[in-house]
């Protein structure tokens, strides 16, 4: 039974979801929802019963001390609500948790029950995948939907994927069958530096979310973190000539593929983002945008952005052999170039 005592009447609510696990390469998607929750001071109003959906031998509970009293935090999915500021007021229902171990249909029905009771107008599910994309270029983010009308209205790709899927794909299809407009946003994370965090991919997802729901998201320290992350990976890749050559080959392939994107429409989108942020916010071309990143030289190096990179990142693995297909363990089923989600 869904109980919503204490939740005020919401204004034009949109539900934003992200789940740790298979659909969260580099923790980019879950970090994006966590950023929204942190910046707008979200208040948790509901949590799903952990015993219904999780195998505790896979996702173990944690014990912690609260004033000398031992407490247990159970892995689950929590819902919070935030009121977005910086324009016309709008509420976001944030769903953040772990991909469930079982009862996926019941899980999705419970999420949809909250969406119905709260009057949610659209569900946006964030995901990130491993792909053949260079860390030195803007992060590719694709928007996917199963609704042909929504695809035309919001300039999204209509999903045509067939194959294994994760909770992102299952939840989107559940929304479609329930008549709830739903969109998946997928960020491509370089497979050769897949360990979390990846603030550049997180920022790219938030930028794309801004465009989708016409809402300005406070970026906080994410732009600086994204630059520092790129510089750190630059330094690690430079230590291995084979990795450096592999990254260069990815850059050449990406630049060739992106030539058609230097269109009036792409430039106009980036200029619109600049206008929205000109009053004290970062300008165009932040990491994850379309234009080149400001403050970085062509090689992505600028000492003014250098921060302590001793954050647990490991040396990038050697590139895969040329006869491999490029798929990486743990990557979702979408194309390795990050252009299509399972949606």
């Amino acid at each position: 039974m869904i109980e919503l005592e204490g939740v005020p009447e919401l204004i034009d609510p949109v539900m934003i979801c992200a789940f740790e696990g298979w659909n969260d390469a580099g923790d980019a998607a879950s970090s994006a929802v966590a950023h929204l929750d942190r910046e707008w001071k979200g208040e948790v109003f509901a949590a799903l019963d952990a015993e219904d959906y999780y195998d505790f031998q896979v996702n173990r509970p944690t014990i912690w001390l609260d004033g000398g009293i031992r407490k247990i935090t159970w892995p689950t999915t929590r819902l919070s609500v935030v009121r977005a500021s910086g324009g016309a007021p709008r509420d976001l229902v944030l769903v953040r948790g772990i991909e469930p171990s079982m009862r996926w249909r019941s899980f999705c029905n419970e999420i949809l029950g909250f969406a119905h009771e709260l009057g949610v107008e659209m569900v946006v599910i964030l995901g990130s995948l491993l792909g053949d994309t260079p860390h030195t270029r803007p992060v590719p983010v694709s928007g996917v939907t199963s609704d042909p009308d929504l695809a035309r209205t919001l300039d999204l790709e209509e999903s045509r994927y067939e194959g294994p899927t994760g909770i992102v794909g299952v939840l989107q299809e559940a929304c479609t069958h329930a008549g709830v407009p739903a969109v998946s946003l997928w960020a491509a994370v370089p497979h050769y530096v897949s360990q979390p965090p990846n603030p550049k991919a997180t920022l790219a997802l938030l930028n794309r979310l801004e465009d989708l729901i016409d809402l300005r998201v406070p970026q906080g320290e994410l732009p600086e973190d994204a630059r520092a992350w790129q510089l750190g990976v630059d330094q690690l890749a430079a230590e291995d000539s084979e990795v450096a050559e592999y990254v260069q080959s990815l850059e050449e392939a990406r630049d060739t593929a992106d030539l058609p994107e230097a269109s009036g429409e792409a430039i106009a989108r980036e200029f619109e983002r600049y206008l929205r942020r000109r009053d004290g916010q970062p300008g165009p071309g932040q990491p994850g945008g379309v234009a080149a990143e400001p403050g970085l030289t062509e090689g992505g190096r600028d000492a003014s952005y250098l921060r302590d990179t001793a954050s647990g990142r490991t040396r990038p693995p050697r590139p895969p052999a040329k006869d491999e297909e490029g798929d990486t363990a743990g990557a979702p089923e979408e194309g390795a170039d990050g252009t299509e989600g399972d949606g």
Side-chain angles (χ1 to χ4, degrees), residues 199 203 219-231 282 286-287 304-307:
L203 184 59
Q219 295 184 345
E221 297 182 357
L222 270 177
E224 183 181 355
D225 291 341
R227 295 186 186 102
W229 175 88
Q230 179 169 318
L231 286 169
Q286 295 291 359
S304 65
Y305 293 126
L306 186 59
R307 301 175 67 190

Side-chain angles (χ1 to χ4, degrees), residues 11 19-20 33 42 58 65 68 89 157 198 212 232 238 266 284 315 322 326:
I11 302 174
F19 304 96
E20 299 173 18
V33 173
V58 176
L65 294 175
E157 299 175 34
N198 189 318
L212 181 69
R315 184 188 186 92
K322 293 183 178 179

Side-chain angles (χ1 to χ4, degrees), residues 16-87:
I16 314 293
C17 310
F19 304 96
E20 299 173 18
W22 200 51
N23 298 143
D24 192 26
D27 291 353
S30 57
S31 295
V33 173
H35 178 84
L36 295 173
D37 190 76
R38 183 171 55 253
E39 289 293 324
W40 280 319
K41 298 178 174 57
E43 296 183 8
V44 175
F45 65 87
L48 306 191
D49 191 335
E51 294 213 8
D52 288 343
Y53 304 114
Y54 295 100
D55 179 348
F56 298 139
Q57 290 182 327
V58 176
N59 297 291
R60 292 186 178 272
T62 57
I63 292 180
W64 56 288
L65 294 175
D66 181 13
I69 300 174
R70 294 170 68 82
K71 294 186 177 181
I72 296 179
T73 298
W74 297 93
T76 188
T77 294
R78 294 177 173 82
L79 290 84
S80 59
V81 62
V82 300
R83 176 150 295 175
S85 57

